[in-house]
Amino acid sequence: MTLPYASALVTGISGQDGALLAAHLLGQGVAVTGTHRPGRAPDLWRLHGLGIDAHPRLAMAPLDPADAPACAALVEALQPDALFHLAGQSRVADSFRDPQGSVAANGLSTVNLLEAVRAHAPAAHVVLASSAEIFGSPARSPVDETTPSAPLSPYGYSKLVAHAAVGTWRASYGLAASSAILFNHESEWRDAAFVTRKISLGVARIARGEAQEIALGNLDAQRDFGYAPDYVAAMAAMAGRDGGADYVLATGHAASVRDFATTAFAAAGMALEWRGEGLHEVAVERGNGRVRVRVDPAFFRPVDAPLLVGEAAKARRELGFAPSLDLAGLARRMVQADLARLE
Ligand code: GDP
């Protein structure tokens, strides 16, 4: 599908989603300006890895989205057709340690950008990276766009502030603005602080004899793990639609952290057997009996939803969203990429 717009501003272009989105947009002929933190050189490793760091249609601009005048000045200067707001504080665990920072980085920044667009580029379509964390621990699963939000983490609350702002600016000012309610979306470009990449990197190191085991937190948490490139393509499609709306992006399948670990080790030819319970649970490798996964309370969160799984029927229907990898395919891809990187 060709996109019906020519230019895009992407905040947080250095992150997994920003880099993948930029690659997708550039591939569709869109000119992209990506923002990075002022005062330091942009982190280009993902853009370089994706082969777009020197793309002729890619420009970089420093921006702190918490700085309202700076947001206004950049939007006024660029006049983008689409603005994708992906920058922010992205780790749930960190948000418990710095709730104010989370709300400022994720909530206030969104208001700054919506105001900048309202004042200076009112025809632009704003797409926010919202999050499944806005639902907390929902009473019913799977979750869709109509499920009430009740976040359990400062991160979830900060994303709800942003998410609600998108709806408010759409309703009150007629801005074209959409929220992509992103369930866990992973890839070989994921930061290693997230559980899937922590596991895929750990598996690759163990397979190469460079490490013995991985320490994890809540193994029972069930999440809906999809492949990030599918999610950014749907976000790009959102910006091509009139008006704006909220869309759940999810696979509809839940897997526990334990399931993901089992699948990732299997991708490197290691079969795990789980033994024990609670803090004493371990996974040992079949054949040699070596402990490969242990539980470490340091990785538990004060609260953690037991299950988050989404229903993306609306995105399938309206955006052509189609998850391309199942859990085994995702784990295999991530483990193979980490093995190749360590090679
Ligand atoms: P999130 O859903 O955006 O917070 O993504 P994460 O990958 O950080 O966490 C997904 C789930 O994995 C959460 O329920 C975590 O509690 C759980 N989890 C279990 N062990 C770990 C760990 O060692 N690191 C992280 N990041 N999460 C873990």
Side-chain angles (χ1 to χ4, degrees), residues 92 184 193-195 198 215-218 221 223 257 299 301 304:
V92 176
N184 299 58
F194 289 83
V195 76
K198 179 175 172 182
L216 297 173
N218 180 7
R223 293 292 182 270
V257 170
F299 298 112
R301 297 171 185 180
D304 202 21

Side-chain angles (χ1 to χ4, degrees), residues 18-342:
L20 288 170
L21 176 63
H24 179 76
L25 293 171
L26 291 166
Q28 299 277 315
V30 176
V32 174
T33 300
T35 73
H36 63 90
R37 293 196 184 121
R40 58 169 107 157
D43 176 3
L44 295 176
W45 78 271
R46 290 186 179 90
L47 301 175
H48 180 72
L50 289 162
I52 55 168
D53 54 324
H55 196 287
R57 264 184 286 104
L58 176 66
M60 302 291 280
L63 177 71
D64 174 5
D67 179 344
C71 290
L74 186 64
V75 169
E76 184 176 20
L78 290 175
Q79 296 290 314
D81 298 326
L83 189 161
F84 296 90
H85 183 32
L86 314 178
Q89 194 286 104
S90 64
R91 298 178 191 164
V92 176
D94 289 356
S95 79
F96 288 103
R97 292 184 279 269
D98 180 18
Q100 289 94 339
S102 250
V103 177
N106 296 343
L108 189 60
S109 69
T110 304
V111 174
N112 290 341
L113 290 163
L114 288 165
E115 275 295 275
V117 166
R118 184 170 78 86
H120 301 293
H125 196 132
V126 177
V127 177
L128 168 74
S130 178
S131 166
E133 282 283 315
I134 66 172
F135 298 115
S137 186
R140 276 199 303 189
S141 285
V143 168
D144 68 16
E145 296 80 4
T146 65
T147 303
S149 44
L152 284 173
S153 62
Y155 173 85
Y157 170 71
S158 73
K159 283 291 183 181
L160 180 56
V161 172
H163 181 99
V166 164
T168 301
W169 265 248
R170 187 167 64 215
S172 301
Y173 303 116
L175 279 198
S178 297
S179 281
I181 306 170
L182 299 162
F183 283 64
N184 299 58
H185 49 292
E186 318 295 325
S187 77
E188 60 273 37
W189 306 105
R190 195 53 140 159
D191 185 295
F194 289 83
V195 76
T196 54
R197 182 81 203 296
K198 179 175 172 182
I199 292 171
S200 69
L201 196 54
V203 167
R205 288 194 180 126
I206 291 168
R208 289 169 54 84
E210 294 167 10
Q212 287 302 316
E213 59 183 49
I214 309 174
L216 297 173
N218 180 7
L219 297 169
D220 293 320
Q222 294 188 67
R223 293 292 182 270
D224 182 327
F225 295 110
Y227 184 44
D230 303 334
Y231 293 61
V232 300
M235 291 175 80
M238 274 174 218
R241 292 177 65 85
D242 293 334
D246 298 337
Y247 293 96
V248 161
L249 299 179
T251 69
H253 299 284
S256 66
V257 170
R258 189 185 294 100
D259 293 335
F260 189 87
T262 304
T263 312
F265 274 93
M270 291 177 269
L272 296 187
E273 266 172 38
W274 295 87
R275 296 181 187 160
E277 273 177 40
L279 294 179
H280 302 293
E281 184 169 357
V282 291
V284 298
E285 185 180 343
R286 207 172 286 157
N288 61 26
R290 293 209 173 108
V291 171
R292 294 309 189 194
V293 179
R294 254 182 226 290
V295 175
D296 182 338
F299 298 112
F300 280 89
R301 297 171 185 180
V303 278
D304 202 21
L307 170 70
L308 272 174
V309 58
E311 164 56 64
K314 182 179 174 188
R316 288 174 189 268
R317 203 168 55 239
E318 297 185 7
L319 307 171
F321 173 66
S324 63
L325 291 181
D326 63 7
L327 193 76
L330 177 64
R332 199 178 315 118
R333 186 168 179 110
M334 293 179 70
V335 168
Q336 281 170 358
D338 278 322
L339 282 169
R341 278 191 188 120
L342 294 178

